[in-house]
Amino acid sequence: MTRPGFKRETCVVAVCGDCGHAYSNSEDLGCELHFRTVQEATAVLTDSGWKVTADGVQCDDCATAQQCRENGHRWPLYWRTCGCGCAKGEPMLPDHATPRESRHCLVCQTREERPRQLVKEAR
């Protein structure tokens, strides 16, 4: 039984089936959003990049990570020289005794690093 001034309602909250993150609105300082129906939640989630299927719900981060697991990463054409100073012989990171370079997947932002590849100059 509820007291006067209180009303019991049922709502829908969306939670990622992979990481458990609840859908929230950044304007609400991360508070989870409550929807009246599954259809309303589905429309909002889909518009914001979340993946909604018959198997469940995935947040945008988990959905993009799954896309890369299934299809492979989309790497840029070029590697970038590390910005820690190792290319100049003044590394700020202890494990960068030799020059390093890196790249980020264009879809999920996974980072990959390797020793810097020296390009042979044309004569």
Side-chain angles (χ1 to χ4, degrees):
M1 179 170 197
T2 61
R3 291 189 270 170
F6 292 96
K7 179 180 171 186
R8 184 181 304 266
E9 291 189 9
T10 302
C11 67
V12 174
V13 176
V15 178
C16 177
D18 289 353
C19 71
H21 174 74
Y23 180 78
S24 63
N25 183 338
S26 60
E27 293 174 10
D28 290 338
L29 303 174
C31 298
E32 67 185 25
L33 291 183
H34 297 249
F35 302 96
R36 290 184 201 130
T37 65
V38 170
Q39 293 78 13
E40 179 186 13
T42 299
V44 171
L45 294 173
T46 304
D47 287 345
S48 67
W50 281 46
K51 184 177 176 184
V52 180
T53 67
D55 296 329
V57 177
Q58 278 183 317
C59 69
D60 49 349
D61 290 338
C62 290
T64 56
Q66 180 180 350
Q67 181 180 345
C68 284
R69 283 193 304 275
E70 292 174 356
N71 303 319
H73 291 293
R74 284 188 45 219
W75 300 110
L77 297 176
Y78 302 99
W79 290 76
R80 298 185 77 144
T81 302
C82 179
C84 85
C86 62
K88 299 175 190 170
E90 303 168 358
M92 291 187 287
L93 301 171
D95 60 337
H96 286 205
T98 59
R100 314 278 304 161
E101 57 189 5
S102 65
R103 63 183 180 174
H104 289 83
C105 173
L106 300 171
V107 176
C108 71
Q109 297 303 310
T110 293
R111 184 174 187 274
E112 197 173 63
E113 186 178 280
R114 70 180 187 189
R116 186 166 154 211
Q117 305 292 308
L118 299 177
V119 180
K120 294 181 180 179
E121 293 183 23
R123 295 180 190 225

